[in-house]
Amino acid sequence: MMDAWWLYMVRCRNGTLYTGITTDVERRFQEHCKGSGAKYLRGKGPLRLEFQCSIGNNRSDALRLEHIVKGLDKAQKERLLRSVAPDWESLQIFLAALDVRALIDPAQEKQ
């Protein structure tokens, strides 16, 4: 059985949002809090886990989604946190309402 992948967002002390993927959100968040996770988060605590959503069993799809969410501007990320239930269907509906095609394939920007 393959592990489910999760998209998660962490808020830093200064209000910035970090987006990542993992198969174990609690373990990964604890790594971030201890300073052994992503370099970006080191020294930026206290950290708060703001969002987590199971996004399926495919790592490639999870990486693609992480890239899309990381490409959102701050206002879009804040809107995601306020308005999206932590489930895959709600996240898909939210992203479909945005023009994120250019983040997936820059060539589509010209279409």
Side-chain angles (χ1 to χ4, degrees), residues 10-18 40-41 44 74 78:
V10 173
R11 187 177 304 276
C12 301
R13 175 182 57 237
N14 65 2
T16 59
L17 291 165
Y18 173 84
Y40 176 81
L41 294 174
K44 295 191 177 167
K74 175 81 178 216
E78 292 292 351

Side-chain angles (χ1 to χ4, degrees), residues 19-60:
T19 303
I21 59 168
T22 185
T23 56
D24 185 339
V25 175
E26 187 57 37
R27 174 192 52 79
R28 189 65 175 150
F29 181 65
Q30 290 306 316
E31 289 173 352
H32 290 315
C33 290
K34 293 175 186 172
S36 61
K39 288 181 184 179
Y40 176 81
L41 294 174
R42 293 183 189 156
K44 295 191 177 167
L47 305 174
R48 274 195 336 256
L49 183 60
E50 294 279 330
F51 182 81
Q52 57 184 317
C53 177
S54 178
I55 55 175
N57 296 330
N58 186 302
R59 184 173 186 266
S60 293

